[in-house]
Each structure stands twice: as C-alpha cells, then as structure tokens.
Amino acid sequence: MFDDITLNFAAAQGDGLLRLDLNPAGRTWVMGAIWMILLSANKSRDHRIVGHDNEEYKRVFGSGVALLVTLALLALFFKLDASRLFVGLAISMGTLLLLVSRWSWRQWLQRQRVRGNYRSAVALAGPANIVAELLEQLQRDKSSTFRPTLLVAPSDKEATALGKFGLPVISQFDNPSAALLEHNIDAIILAGSEFLTKKRFKAIAWNLESSTVDLLVAPGLLDASSPRVHTRQVSGVSFLEVESPTFDGSR
C-alpha cells in the first residue's frame, strides 16, 4: 500500500509546497480511507437512524459531498495530480452504491424486525390513556425499532388501568436508571404534559446521564402526520410546530 505513495519535500517548480505523488492504486487507497473516516464522523451508522429514518441516506450523501470537498482541498495544498473524471465517477458511483446497499440492508432489517429480531426494548412512561394509545401504535407497526417491554404509570390507580396490556407495569419511578436496568431497557419514551413536568423531566434526565438508555419525549400529537410537524427553537426553548393541513391544487 505504502509503495503507492511518494512524498516529495523538494519544491516542485519553485512552488514551495509539499507534493504528493500517487499512482491510481494509491489514490484509491487514500480516497477509501478518507471516505470511511467521513462516514464515521457523520455517524451514518448511528443506531437511532439506521433502518427507519431518511437521515441515514442524507448522511451517506453528505459524506460523499464532504469527500469531494476534501479531495479538492488536498489537490490544492498538496499539488495532488488526480484525474477529475476519475474522482467524479468514483465518488458518484460509490455514493450510489452505498445508498443502494443501505436500502437493501434496510429491507433485510425490517424483515428481521417483523420477526421480532434487532428491536430495542422500550419503556413507555406517562398517563394511562396516552401510554395506551402510544403502545397500540408501536405494536401495530411490526417493523418498528422499538419493542414495548415496560410501562411506567404516575400512580397505582393508572398502573392498574395499564395492567390489561399484559406488560410489566411500575408506578414507583424514583430511581429511573436502576428500574430500567432491572428490566433491560434500551430506551424510555416520556409522554403526557401532566406527567412530564419540568422538575420530573430534569430529574429523569440527570438520573439517566451515566446510563446507556436513550431518552425520548412523545409530544402527545400522535394523530399529526410527521411531514407537518417541525422542531422550532425560540428563546432557547424547543417547540413542535404543526402546519395546518392544506387542500389545494393536486392535494
């Protein structure tokens, strides 16, 4: 591999810059290494997006664009003599093949999840009515990332109401980290404004800080379609903005 790369510290035609001479094999090695680093830096394999979110495709595509920019800068500063046609075709075809590969793996992963494999155990916490609705939606989607495993109720009365679903239910949640660890939970979803007070949310977040449990918040807008829901920050506070449905033109 290293025989493909030669560093010339002598100034090339008096330009005073480090010159990097690469044969085709060397260029391929360098491009591949940089590409792998960029894909890793962009977290294109993050478990939160793999298999169920378009963000995975965006990060793969973004890594290809970042590779093109990186190679352009390397060519400028290191006087790298590389064919633009070779670089353009390699990045274009490589990105396309990566996207097709990710799509193929996603189809396989969804089939596995339908069979109950590769799903994260999730706890649902909140008022009984909201937790019940959220539970039904997650169970309806057989290819969902999450497999509801534990229900957390704000009171013993609501815990009794959730008992009909046949899942473990707890109402004592003073030490979230220990309770979730006991039930082998990978993520917890908090729902319901009456349950999720500012004080309780901060206490749970701080308690889970040193754990590996993912913390998610369900806004309670379970009937709003996702394209209409956007995150918006105002004065340091995150809001969910729901666009009004429009029925004009083709719609």
Side-chain angles (χ1 to χ4, degrees):
M1 169 182 172
F2 295 102
D3 294 337
D4 299 325
I5 304 175
T6 303
L7 292 176
N8 294 326
F9 290 91
Q13 297 181 351
D15 54 19
L17 293 174
L18 176 66
R19 184 179 181 85
L20 183 64
D21 293 331
L22 299 174
N23 61 25
R27 287 195 292 268
T28 302
W29 275 105
V30 170
M31 284 181 58
I34 297 175
W35 208 337
M36 294 296 292
I37 293 172
L38 291 173
L39 287 168
S40 177
N42 284 338
K43 298 181 179 179
S44 67
R45 284 290 187 184
D46 193 317
H47 71 279
R48 291 170 292 188
I49 64 171
V50 168
H52 63 90
D53 198 312
N54 288 333
E55 183 65 24
E56 179 184 3
Y57 299 135
K58 293 178 182 178
R59 293 187 186 185
V60 170
F61 182 79
S63 298
V65 175
L67 175 63
L68 183 61
V69 174
T70 302
L71 291 178
L73 292 175
L74 289 176
L76 175 64
F77 289 107
F78 290 93
K79 296 297 180 181
L80 185 63
D81 184 17
S83 168
R84 297 177 183 178
L85 180 61
F86 168 79
V87 172
L89 286 176
I91 295 178
S92 300
M93 293 302 297
T95 300
L96 179 61
L97 289 174
L98 274 176
L99 292 172
V100 171
S101 173
R102 293 295 182 94
W103 179 86
S104 300
W105 277 109
R106 177 171 294 196
Q107 305 311 304
W108 176 85
L109 181 59
Q110 288 180 347
R111 290 194 297 270
Q112 290 296 315
R113 284 175 173 169
V114 169
R115 298 170 184 169
N117 303 321
Y118 303 107
R119 301 179 71 185
S120 300
V122 65
L124 307 179
N129 60 327
I130 297 180
V131 168
E133 185 177 355
L134 185 58
L135 175 62
E136 289 174 357
Q137 287 198 221
L138 290 175
Q139 290 181 332
R140 192 181 307 126
D141 182 8
K142 299 301 181 181
S143 62
S144 171
T145 307
F146 294 134
R147 173 174 52 85
T149 305
L150 176 69
L151 306 180
V152 181
S155 66
D156 292 337
K157 180 180 179 181
E158 299 212 47
T160 302
L162 290 173
K164 63 181 181 180
F165 292 103
L167 293 176
V169 183
I170 61 174
S171 58
Q172 299 300 320
F173 205 53
D174 297 329
N175 189 348
S177 180
L180 298 177
L181 180 63
E182 180 182 351
H183 291 84
N184 298 316
I185 299 298
D186 301 308
I188 179 172
I189 300 177
L190 306 178
S193 57
E194 60 268 41
F195 172 79
L196 192 58
T197 62
K198 180 179 179 181
K199 181 178 180 181
R200 177 172 287 182
F201 175 76
K202 291 179 67 175
I204 294 175
W206 278 108
N207 184 271
L208 296 177
E209 182 188 16
S210 58
S211 72
T212 58
V213 178
D214 292 334
L215 177 60
L216 297 89
V217 177
L221 303 172
L222 302 181
D223 292 329
S225 60
S226 55
R228 290 170 45 209
V229 181
H230 307 279
T231 303
R232 181 175 179 181
Q233 282 204 349
V234 179
S235 302
V237 181
S238 296
F239 297 94
L240 288 179
E241 181 178 7
V242 182
E243 295 180 354
S244 300
T246 57
F247 300 97
D248 56 2
S250 61
R251 295 186 180 182

